[in-house]
Amino acid sequence: ALFRQHSLPFGAVGSVFGFNRASRAIWFLGVKIMKLVWINYFDDFPTLSLGSSAASTEKASVEFVEKLGWETAKEPKKNLRFAPSFGVLGAVLELDQAPRGVVTVSNKPERVEEICSRVEEVLAARQMRPPVAAVIRGKFQYAANQVFGRVTQGPLQRLKEFQFRSKTAFLDQQTADALKRLAQLVRLARPRCLKVGSEPRPVLLFSDGACEGIARREVSCGAWVMDTVTGKKQMFGCRVPFRMVDKWQSEGKVQTIGQAELLPVLLG
């Protein structure tokens, strides 16, 4: 049966996509027409302003959105005043040192405690059903993205394996250790320091490798390098000697594409 739906079906597959189109349109119009320095995430619009113009920026942004026909949250919990330190999407931004080109990002203390409390409950019960594992993994992954590089990937991978492959809710020791490790990392994490304008321009390196031929013994690799300061470009390509391929394959794996793709990074 076919029917025409005149309202947005929240909970259906395409509802968030449809809402985000409208939300993104508001963001775009605010940037182009009002010259607002803001971003959007679903229905949140974190906004930046100089201290001297904060009051007028707040008034202009709220009236602009309402003139478009949308309501804005008026309760103090959501309608926060401009401040040098503010929470956004589970993270805390510190702008006290922004005039010196430094901004710090950390996880909200409340978010950290919430995640760690859930971990303590799971460890005490010695069981974790897949839906709970999915929620905890998602929260840890988001928290890790604010302050870490890849230091949490090992424990997070273990949670992912438990979520999708475990046939029982019983919490094995390896997964329990991964949860403890993640909780420890999140609690001890230092704020991430973002320096504006002081970082040197990067050297770009694009690399690749290939494994072909009989028994995958014809291995090659190469890279293209560019210094973005001087504009100088270089490239190289080579075949990996059979003796090195034999050594790689001696560990039991015929496919050595991982080593082939890492080698040009070392050579570059």
Side-chain angles (χ1 to χ4, degrees):
L2 299 176
F3 67 96
R4 177 174 294 179
Q5 192 160 298
H6 296 283
S7 60
L8 195 62
F10 272 88
V13 175
S15 61
V16 173
F17 174 76
F19 179 81
N20 280 341
R21 285 174 63 89
S23 182
R24 197 62 172 174
I26 296 173
W27 167 84
F28 177 79
L29 293 173
V31 172
K32 296 292 289 186
I33 298 174
M34 304 297 294
K35 309 301 181 184
L36 294 170
V37 182
W38 65 356
I39 59 174
N40 84 286
Y41 183 79
F42 293 92
D43 58 347
D44 290 323
F45 290 82
T47 307
L48 295 178
S49 175
L50 295 174
S52 58
S53 59
S56 61
T57 299
E58 179 180 1
K59 182 177 178 61
S61 60
V62 170
E63 291 191 3
F64 172 71
V65 172
E66 293 182 345
K67 288 291 185 182
L68 293 175
W70 295 82
E71 294 182 5
T72 57
K74 295 297 192 297
E75 57 269 31
K77 182 180 179 180
K78 292 187 176 182
N79 188 21
L80 302 175
R81 304 277 78 82
F82 279 91
S85 174
F86 63 96
V88 53
L89 305 175
V92 177
L93 272 68
E94 297 281 352
L95 303 178
D96 291 333
Q97 300 185 52
R100 290 191 286 272
V102 179
V103 176
T104 60
V105 183
S106 59
N107 288 302
K108 280 186 177 180
E110 303 87 2
R111 177 65 63 90
V112 172
E113 288 307 315
E114 176 193 351
I115 301 173
C116 292
S117 295
R118 298 205 66 165
V119 169
E120 291 173 0
E121 293 174 2
V122 167
L123 293 174
R126 296 296 299 181
Q127 62 178 358
M128 180 172 60
R129 300 186 65 81
V132 176
V135 171
I136 292 178
R137 185 170 70 90
K139 289 182 179 296
F140 268 126
Q141 192 166 20
Y142 185 85
N145 287 339
Q146 308 306 323
V147 292
F148 294 115
R150 297 181 61 84
V151 68
T152 57
Q153 292 306 302
L156 283 173
Q157 181 61 30
R158 178 56 200 164
L159 287 190
K160 182 177 180 180
E161 293 173 358
F162 182 89
Q163 176 188 344
F164 291 105
R165 299 181 183 178
S166 179
K167 297 180 180 179
T168 174
F170 176 75
L171 194 65
D172 60 277
Q173 190 58 48
Q174 190 176 3
T175 305
D177 290 341
L179 287 169
K180 293 176 184 178
R181 177 62 174 161
L182 286 168
Q184 180 186 42
L185 288 171
V186 169
R187 277 202 169 108
L188 297 178
R190 294 182 179 181
R192 180 156 54 103
C193 184
L194 306 177
K195 296 181 180 180
V196 181
S198 62
E199 294 295 326
R201 295 181 64 181
V203 173
L204 302 179
L205 172 63
F206 298 91
S207 61
D208 199 4
C211 296
E212 303 167 306
I214 300 175
R216 299 287 184 178
R217 295 189 74 240
E218 296 181 16
V219 181
S220 59
C221 66
W224 179 84
V225 186
M226 175 181 177
D227 186 335
T228 57
V229 175
T230 64
K232 186 177 180 180
K233 308 178 186 69
Q234 291 185 330
M235 60 176 292
F236 69 87
C238 65
R239 288 189 175 276
V240 180
F242 286 130
R243 63 179 182 276
M244 182 173 289
V245 177
D246 291 338
K247 180 174 178 59
W248 289 347
Q249 293 182 340
S250 65
E251 298 179 357
K253 292 185 178 181
V254 175
Q255 178 64 271
T256 59
I257 189 64
Q259 294 92 324
E261 292 181 342
L262 285 173
L263 182 58
V265 177
L266 297 175
L267 296 177

